[in-house]
Amino acid sequence: MSAAQKSRAFLKWAGGKYNLVNAIASHLTPASTLVEPFVGAGSVFLNTDYPQYQLNDINADLIALYQLLQRRHQSFIADAKSLFTAQTNQRDAYLSLRQQFNLSTDSYERSVLFLYLNRHGYNGLCRYNLSGKFNVPFGSYKKPYFPEAELHYFAEKAQRARFSCTSYQQVIQQAQADTVIYCDPPYVPLSKTASFTSYASQGFDLDDQAQLANLAEKAQQRGITVVISNHDTTWTRKIYQQAVLHSLQVGRSISQKGATRGKVAELFAVYQAMTTPMTPPVAVLPQKAG
């Protein structure tokens, strides 16, 4: 896939995989379905070609937006576009619309505002406080881009997808044969001050990191290939020691200070499916004669 053919996500996203999709795709095996327990902005979904997709995320606002685009993208795009004006690109207007989002219980209204907040908020961050309120400050961009073509493309491709908002544990444990799983969890922090765990109301701690590796090993034993992305650290290499590891240098996408946006080492842990699963698939049961 050439750079010219790559499709961008319509959301700005911390840790988005647009620049890494070719490297990631090189580790994904053929299957009927690509399963993503942490779909995020969906760059891997948008730049691979599987017959079906199972796309999950713990962020309920994100999944509600995706499901809406899947069903009624034309009206959504028109309504969302109306919020991309000079009048709404001001701090007071942003704070008012952010409050409207936090008070709203209407799924459609929240989805329209979610896209507005994503494009007008600081650095494309998606962050909630402990009360579950979106609290990203105003971004002060000259003219936020309205991703109309990207929204249409996502809506078209979403016809192949099934979206869910549940735990990564459930998604991986329920994965069937003839699927391949790509995991893009919140990354292990490179320092104590670099932790980024408020993406959804629930955090993702080191116990989750270790549990994800354990679930990948079990899926591998069931005959499913699992690929996990993370920072390349001593600790991640330890928890992924049962996988084949691949490392490469990549540019940092989110940083407090522009001057510190240097290269960091990215790790891909590849759990290649065992051709003879150690435990038989649940669906395969002996049949009685007659």
Side-chain angles (χ1 to χ4, degrees), residues 127-199:
R127 191 183 63 197
Y128 301 81
N129 63 21
L130 292 176
S131 301
K133 303 300 185 185
F134 189 91
N135 66 353
V136 176
F138 183 52
S140 299
Y141 298 108
K142 187 174 180 180
K143 188 179 180 183
Y145 171 69
F146 182 68
E148 187 162 359
E150 292 87 345
L151 284 162
H152 280 291
Y153 183 74
F154 188 101
E156 178 187 345
K157 193 159 187 183
Q159 303 311 310
R160 288 194 233 171
R162 186 171 80 256
F163 296 101
S164 60
C165 181
T166 186
S167 69
Y168 69 91
Q169 296 99 324
Q170 185 174 336
V171 172
I172 298 172
Q173 287 168 341
Q174 293 180 350
Q176 302 294 310
D178 199 25
T179 62
V180 57
I181 301 175
Y182 170 62
C183 297
D184 182 25
Y187 278 17
V188 171
L190 291 173
S191 68
K192 289 183 179 179
T193 59
S195 179
F196 181 72
T197 57
S198 349
Y199 156 68

Side-chain angles (χ1 to χ4, degrees), residues 7-8 50 53 73 106 113 116 121 123 132 137 160 169 185 193 199 202 251 276-277:
S7 299
R8 282 198 178 275
Y50 284 87
Y53 293 85
H73 69 281
D106 181 81
L113 290 169
Y116 163 82
N123 233 4
R160 288 194 233 171
Q169 296 99 324
T193 59
Y199 156 68
Q202 304 87 343
T276 305

Side-chain angles (χ1 to χ4, degrees), residues 188-228:
V188 171
L190 291 173
S191 68
K192 289 183 179 179
T193 59
S195 179
F196 181 72
T197 57
S198 349
Y199 156 68
S201 299
Q202 304 87 343
F204 195 90
D205 58 23
L206 295 182
D207 287 338
D208 283 300
Q209 301 282 358
Q211 185 178 17
L212 177 60
N214 181 256
L215 289 169
E217 291 175 28
K218 291 180 178 177
Q220 177 188 38
Q221 293 165 6
R222 301 201 309 271
I224 299 170
T225 293
V226 183
V227 179
I228 305 176

